[in-house]
């Protein structure tokens, strides 16, 4: 009997060990949020959507969404994003231009890092997906790798960057954050003032970031340290919705120019200056804007086959027909009173097309028309170029990998062969344009309802958010 008890007592520790191991395995299964089917909806859909809604409430305005470069709302958003990065197992920091970084350095990994990012700033009265979707989706894809224990097996470091400024609302100079990383931000940018007279450098200093013209250059990443750049973004157009698919790969981004036109006339009393004697900059500006619309609707009626440099523009004219868009988005007058003929009118012009030569031809023709109209109306006109970005082509290798990952993700979600993942052009600018000066870039578009963007009506289906997260997760697992 004693011998039996001794034998039984020896087996008790073994039983305890088996129970502990079983519970450990159960905990691992629970912590991976769906390891059984590896679709991870709790993280890649539910958590991402909840975080997007949370971020969408972080605003500098009451009643609508607005976050500009290093504004109080932008700082709060960056703090949230940094917390989510750390939750995913990333090491975080804020750089000298307010970009929020989260990086994972796997043991024994190569030196070149894959960068994934988008912007945390917004336009005025924005939607909650533009920019934010790309940041939160990337963080969550890495979180899945972390909770499943696979993050440390990546062959390359991965870094998520939430860029501080892409929209250019505060300083009318787009891509501040990504251009600094790419090394193409002019040092003179630090002295650009906002409407309150604060410069970029002032705003950085207010937020305890000491960035000078000397150390601005240190923000630049070296090309040989970067493997590539990936950006997830809403389509901001209606194509994906029309074909019934949630994802597309981007083959290129249209070039764009932002102009500022200033028209100066003779300020006077609205009731005492005869119509025939006025030098009214408002009506001159109105004629210029209508002239711009005609030029951009029918460029072939205005642009000859010989451009300003004497070279044939036939191809440019043909390509303009399908991609040229021109917008006057902001008008201001001085002194802006109902009973005063204004002395000055200023308006912005945004010109975009996939053909850079054609874009230059449009600006040249607009300049000609401006001088003709202003001379006839006896007012002075000045056109300033505030921003230029050449059209870019996304990398074929990255595109192929993104297509494969997107196809795999959609097939896993639906259980069906969805056919070929579409390839689209982007008419909107993205941080990928600046990052293309540093490294090869790839982009993934996500369907948005009605193609509406830069509006509170901006909307992405929860399952489309999920599809994007699965695609990035598949890309990381397969290629890194």
């Amino acid at each position: 009997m004693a011998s039996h008890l001794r034998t039984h007592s020896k087996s008790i520790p073994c039983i305890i060990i088996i129970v502990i191991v079983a519970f450990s395995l159960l905990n691992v299964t629970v912590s991976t949020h769906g390891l059984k089917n590896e679709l991870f909806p709790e993280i890649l859909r539910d958590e991402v959507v909840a975080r997007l809604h949370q971020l969408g409430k972080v605003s500098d305005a009451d009643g609508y969404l607005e976050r500009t470069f290093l504004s109080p709302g932008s700082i709060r958003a960056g703090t949230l994003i940094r917390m989510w990065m750390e939750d995913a197992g990333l090491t975080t920091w804020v750089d000298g231009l307010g970009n929020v970084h989260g990086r994972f350095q796997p043991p024994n990994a190569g030196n070149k890092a894959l960068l994934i990012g988008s912007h945390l700033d917004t336009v005025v009265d924005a939607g909650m997906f533009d920019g934010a979707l790309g940041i939160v989706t990337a963080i969550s894809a890495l979180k899945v790798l972390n909770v499943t224990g696979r993050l440390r097996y990546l062959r390359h470091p991965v870094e998520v960057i939430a860029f501080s400024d892409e929209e250019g609302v505060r300083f009318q100079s787009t891509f501040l954050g990504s251009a600094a990383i790419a090394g193409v931000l002019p040092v003179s940018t630090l002295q650009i003032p906002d409407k309150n007279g604060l410069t970029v450098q002032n705003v950085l200093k207010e937020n305890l970031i000491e960035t000078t013209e000397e150390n601005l250059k240190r923000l630049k990443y070296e090309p040989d340290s970067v493997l590539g750049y990936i950006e997830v973004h809403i389509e901001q157009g209606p194509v994906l919705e029309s074909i019934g698919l949630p994802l597309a790969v981007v083959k290129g981004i249209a070039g764009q120019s932002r102009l500022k036109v200033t028209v100066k006339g003779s300020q006077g009393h609205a009731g005492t200056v005869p119509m025939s004697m006025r030098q009214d900059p408002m009506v001159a500006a109105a004629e210029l804007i209508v002239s711009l619309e005609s030029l951009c609707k029918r460029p072939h009626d205005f642009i000859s086959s010989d451009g300003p440099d004497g070279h044939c523009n036939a191809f440019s004219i043909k390509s303009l027909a399908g991609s040229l868009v021109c917008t006057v988005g902001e008008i201001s007058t001085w002194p802006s009173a109902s009973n005063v003929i204004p002395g000055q009118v200023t308006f912005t012009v945004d010109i975009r097309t996939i053909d850079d030569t054609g874009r230059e031809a449009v600006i040249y023709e607009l300049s000609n028309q401006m001088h003709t109209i202003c001379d006839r109306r006896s007012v002075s006109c000045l056109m300033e170029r505030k921003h230029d970005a050449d059209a870019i082509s996304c990398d074929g290798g990255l595109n192929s990998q993104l297509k494969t990952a997107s196809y795999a993700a959609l097939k896993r979600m639906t259980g069906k062969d969805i056919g070929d993942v579409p390839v689209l052009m982007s008419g909107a600018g993205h941080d990928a344009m600046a990052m293309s000066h540093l490294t090869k870039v790839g982009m993934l578009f996500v369907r948005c309802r009605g193609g509406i963007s830069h509006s509170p009506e901006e909307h992405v289906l929860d399952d489309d958010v999920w599809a994007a997260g699965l695609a990035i997760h598949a890309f990381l697992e397969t290629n890194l």
Side-chain angles (χ1 to χ4, degrees), residues 326-352:
C326 306
T327 305
V328 173
E330 183 179 352
I331 302 175
S332 61
T333 66
W334 178 260
S336 193
S338 60
N339 62 344
V340 177
I341 302 167
Q344 178 175 302
V345 176
T346 302
F347 62 91
T348 60
V349 178
D350 184 307
I351 300 174
R352 308 187 190 204

Side-chain angles (χ1 to χ4, degrees), residues 43 47 51 87-88 138-148:
I43 298 177
E47 187 172 79
R51 286 176 171 180
D87 175 58
I139 293 170
S140 296
L142 287 167
K143 180 176 178 177
V144 167
L145 291 177
N146 190 35
V147 298
T148 55

